[in-house]
Amino acid sequence: MTKFLLIVDYNPGAIDTPMTEWAPEEIKAHMDYYGALNDELRASGELVDLQALTGPELAKVVTSNGVNAPVVTDGPFVEFKEMLAGFQVVDVESEERAIEIAARVSQVPGPGGVPLEQPITVRRVMGDADFEELNPLG
C-alpha cells in the first residue's frame, strides 16, 4: 500500500460562486457528499486522515532563524485560490486508485447540484526508501 495526499485548495473549478452565496440545502448536499465518500473510504480502510482548514484570513506566516524571536505575520500569501482548504491522506494499492478517489472529490456538488470539477492535487507521501535514496551516507 502507498499513501497519497489529496490536496483541496480554494480553486473554484467550474463553479466560481463562493459557498457563502449558496443556498443552505446546497451546502448540506456538498457536505453530505464529502461525508458519504469519507465514510466509504474509512470502511474500505483507505482513509488515513482528513482535515478541513480555517480560511486564509486566520492564517499566520512564521519565520525564524533560531536565534531571534520568531517573526509572525498575516502574510503575504499566495493567491487565495492557491491556499490549502483541506486534505485527505489515503493508503491505496496504486496511484490509479488515488486518482480515482481524487476524481470523486473533484465532482463534489456545488450550486444546483452541479459538480464543482475542482482541481485536486495528488502527491505520493515519501517512504523510508525515498529518504534512503536521498541520503548518500546511508
Side-chain angles (χ1 to χ4, degrees):
M1 300 284 276
T2 305
K3 291 181 182 161
F4 288 87
L5 176 67
L6 309 182
I7 301 169
V8 179
D9 58 28
Y10 286 100
N11 189 327
I15 308 292
D16 61 359
T17 305
M19 191 179 277
T20 55
E21 297 177 18
W22 296 8
E25 62 273 10
E26 293 170 334
I27 295 171
K28 183 176 182 339
H30 180 87
M31 300 310 291
D32 288 350
Y33 178 93
Y34 271 127
L37 177 58
N38 291 330
D39 287 346
E40 179 185 321
L41 295 172
R42 271 189 209 94
S44 70
E46 294 174 305
L47 184 63
V48 175
D49 192 15
L50 68 111
Q51 299 295 326
L53 305 174
T54 59
E57 69 278 4
L58 299 175
K60 303 289 185 240
V61 175
V62 179
T63 56
S64 175
N65 63 9
V67 177
N68 300 317
V71 176
V72 181
T73 64
D74 293 336
F77 295 117
V78 295
E79 287 188 59
F80 182 74
K81 68 182 181 181
E82 297 171 352
M83 293 287 293
L84 183 65
F87 65 88
Q88 295 166 297
V89 177
V90 294
D91 195 2
V92 293
E93 291 291 335
S94 65
E95 181 179 58
E96 290 76 19
R97 176 63 178 146
I99 290 170
E100 178 183 306
I101 295 168
R104 293 185 61 199
V105 173
S106 177
Q107 60 189 305
V108 63
V114 175
L116 289 184
E117 298 180 48
Q118 185 176 21
I120 306 301
T121 302
V122 177
R123 295 185 58 189
R124 185 174 59 82
V125 176
M126 292 177 68
D128 291 341
D130 295 304
F131 288 105
E132 291 169 9
E133 193 175 294
L134 291 173
N135 183 0
L137 301 177

